[in-house]
Amino acid sequence: MKGPEFLAGAAKAATYNMLLQLSIRAMTFFLNAVVLRYISKDMLGVVNVRLTLLYSTTLFVSTEAFDQAGLSKIEGKNWTQVVNLMWCSWPVSIIICGILSIVWLFALTPPDPEDIPYYGWGVVSFALSTIIAVLARPHYIVGQAHLFVKLRVLSVGLSELAKCLTVVYLVINFPNLGLISFSLGQIVREVTYTLMYYLTFYWYTSDKSKPEDFVFQTPRDFLPQKPKDKKYLDDYMVSLTGSFFKQSLLKQFLTEGEKYVMTLFNVFNFGDQGIYDVINNLGSMVPRFIFMPLEESGRLFFSQTLIRGKTYRDQSNESLDLASRVLYSLLRVVMLIGIVILVFGYAYSFLTLDLYGGAVLSDGAGPTLLRWYCLYVLILAINGITECFYFATMSQTQIDQYNQRMVVFSVIFLGSSLLLTSWFESVGFILANCINMCTRIAHSVFFIHEYYQGSTYRPLLGLLPSKSLLLSLAISFVITVTSEITFCCDAGIYYRLLHIGIGGVCFIAVIGTILLTEAELVSFVWEYLLRFKSSKQVKKE
């Protein structure tokens, strides 16, 4: 698949992923809104922080390194060897789940069994769900590499829906089950997810009308087997996986850092953890809905367009030009979205929390926490795009060097989070995350600068907003903050609507400024939207 075609496919994947993330967040908010009326805040904290952290840790550590190696663009890649490598992640998941389950059961302080019954069942079930999910990893990687976008969207969306329906039904009708309700929901989710991948590829490979050049022709090809005239595993991919595995441990700690600090150091009780998690989910809606799909599609595009470990001089001119334009545009897009969220989020954090959760969320530190989270969203967005380029192009030696630097990042984050939470409580987590992401951005930006040094490409200029945009944002910030002080939020509904209306007018003015001053970016996005549309029409014909 050529670069422009793959970019169109990646754009399609990003679009569907955004819709997927929106659906998942909507289901999660619905689930929280319902179950909060039937369970305690402590129960919410145990499920959404401690048990979800166990699941995310075991899944990420068990699969991230294999995913990175399997999706890398490598000369002479053999897909049978890729499948064999991906199956190695399953025994790894069993080992990881076993070790961390023991830690969660015996090393961490357990919740009160009278308030939170069946904690042991919860730990075992969430660990088991990881092992079930990893069974579909070979199918997932093949689907990602060959842009089975709808499959990924449907598998994740329907499995999440099955989980939500199961949990809501059990919590309402069997309130005495405690964590068993959430445990069964988690198992149902991963069984649904895995079955969808197996059934889809069983049907696809059995379909005689499938493309002849598809890498697998029968369902048996997704199982481990010895490739012809080659070793069972490719030595380079195995070495690459080892390097990524060291990195994945530290990357997971830095990604879920605040939850690890909560879990390991007990800085908050389970009830406070539950409230923090609700606000954190609300603040992370845009990163999950927009930035994460862009990051995933960007990483997939760069890994398939540029040869890993090669300098820009060793890349084809077409691939380098396209990759540079895409990197510039992605940085520009996330910078614009992030800075708009930062400006408008300050004046509308209190109103958002008050409308969503009432005084439980809007009283106290909630609005301040969400305002700082808006800054974190901007930093997080920039880090995601710079790192996806970095991880897709760096050599194995650079991967090993980065692993050492990740240790430094981890120490900085741990120290700053413990210090800042003692000073600013929950807001300290956001500040520590900002510091952590800024150090990682600095590292990735330096790599990108060095990568393009000597060439005519300057993709990092995508991070610099225009003066006219900064002026319009500054004016909008002053107007919306003044509006919040004057009309919001103890006044009646009409004053709140007036505050929302003022913000809407300012937002339209900012969007208009972006459309007028970002002609190159708009042209690029429009070009590939047309390419994406034409590719769909060709497929239909």
Side-chain angles (χ1 to χ4, degrees), residues 285-538:
M285 179 179 289
V286 172
R288 292 176 186 272
F289 171 46
I290 298 178
F291 298 145
M292 186 180 293
L294 286 177
E295 180 182 346
E296 290 178 354
S297 298
R299 183 173 66 176
L300 180 61
F301 169 75
F302 292 130
S303 65
Q304 298 296 313
T305 304
L306 300 174
I307 300 176
R308 179 181 295 279
K310 303 291 185 179
T311 66
Y312 78 89
R313 296 181 180 87
D314 299 320
Q315 311 287 349
S316 68
N317 291 332
E318 180 184 3
S319 296
L320 182 64
D321 181 72
L322 183 60
S324 302
R325 291 183 65 198
V326 170
L327 178 58
Y328 173 89
S329 299
L330 287 177
L331 289 175
R332 200 73 172 171
V333 167
V334 298
M335 182 275 297
L336 292 174
I337 296 174
I339 199 169
V340 169
I341 291 172
L342 174 61
V343 168
F344 287 92
Y346 187 91
Y348 290 89
S349 291
F350 180 92
L351 183 59
T352 300
L353 293 178
D354 196 60
L355 292 175
Y356 176 68
V360 174
L361 296 181
S362 60
D363 286 350
T368 302
L369 181 64
L370 189 56
R371 286 174 181 133
W372 279 105
Y373 209 102
C374 292
L375 172 62
Y376 179 55
V377 165
L378 172 60
I379 299 173
L380 188 68
I382 296 173
N383 176 73
I385 299 303
T386 55
E387 280 197 347
C388 81
F389 180 87
Y390 178 49
F391 290 144
T393 56
M394 62 182 173
S395 65
Q396 184 176 343
T397 301
Q398 290 169 326
I399 294 172
D400 294 332
Q401 292 173 347
Y402 186 73
N403 291 337
Q404 299 173 5
R405 296 186 181 99
M406 289 281 277
V407 175
V408 179
F409 297 157
S410 300
V411 172
I412 292 174
F413 172 75
L414 180 60
S416 60
S417 61
L418 291 175
L419 180 64
L420 292 173
T421 50
S422 66
W423 290 349
F424 306 108
E425 297 183 340
S426 57
V427 175
F429 280 129
I430 305 301
L431 298 177
N433 276 316
C434 290
I435 294 173
N436 165 38
M437 289 299 170
C438 284
T439 56
R440 290 166 62 176
I441 289 172
H443 180 270
S444 300
V445 165
F446 179 77
F447 171 83
I448 296 172
H449 174 74
E450 290 291 309
Y451 185 90
Y452 284 102
Q453 193 170 26
S455 73
T456 58
Y457 299 104
R458 297 293 183 269
L460 290 175
L461 293 178
L463 293 173
L464 301 178
S466 64
K467 294 180 180 179
S468 55
L469 175 60
L470 289 176
L471 178 61
S472 67
L473 288 170
I475 294 173
S476 297
F477 179 80
V478 173
I479 292 174
T480 53
V481 171
T482 303
S483 173
E484 181 184 34
I485 296 173
T486 306
F487 303 115
C488 191
C489 282
D490 296 328
I493 183 65
Y494 296 107
Y495 288 99
R496 292 189 173 199
L497 290 175
L498 180 59
H499 177 51
I500 294 173
I502 291 172
V505 172
C506 293
F507 180 76
I508 292 173
V510 170
I511 296 300
T513 303
I514 292 175
L515 293 176
L516 292 174
T517 59
E518 299 292 340
E520 181 180 353
L521 178 63
V522 173
S523 174
F524 179 85
V525 173
W526 183 249
E527 173 188 350
Y528 283 95
L529 284 176
L530 292 176
R531 187 188 296 275
F532 168 53
K533 183 178 180 180
S534 62
S535 67
K536 288 183 65 177
Q537 292 175 346
V538 169

Side-chain angles (χ1 to χ4, degrees), residues 108-226:
L108 301 179
T109 303
D112 188 343
E114 294 185 1
D115 297 330
I116 313 292
Y118 308 113
Y119 173 70
W121 280 96
V123 171
V124 173
S125 299
F126 274 71
L128 179 61
S129 69
T130 293
I131 298 174
I132 296 172
V134 176
L135 286 172
R137 217 60 189 181
H139 305 72
Y140 168 81
I141 288 299
V142 173
Q144 282 288 91
H146 294 84
L147 297 177
F148 281 70
V149 179
K150 294 181 181 178
L151 172 59
R152 183 174 186 273
V153 171
L154 290 175
S155 62
V156 176
L158 292 179
S159 62
E160 189 71 26
L161 177 61
K163 170 191 171 182
C164 289
L165 293 176
T166 302
V167 171
V168 169
Y169 175 79
L170 293 175
V171 165
I172 293 176
N173 294 282
F174 305 96
N176 295 328
L177 288 179
L179 287 178
I180 291 181
S181 300
F182 295 92
S183 301
L184 291 175
Q186 185 72 14
I187 295 295
V188 167
R189 173 192 177 188
E190 301 310 330
V191 169
T192 304
Y193 173 84
T194 302
L195 283 177
M196 288 193 66
Y197 267 98
Y198 273 78
L199 293 175
T200 298
F201 278 108
Y202 178 83
W203 167 81
Y204 189 80
T205 54
S206 301
D207 187 4
K208 295 181 180 180
S209 62
K210 68 179 180 298
E212 295 183 359
D213 59 346
F214 184 64
V215 289
F216 299 138
Q217 298 300 311
T218 67
R220 175 69 181 84
D221 293 334
F222 285 91
L223 299 177
Q225 55 186 306
K226 178 74 167 60

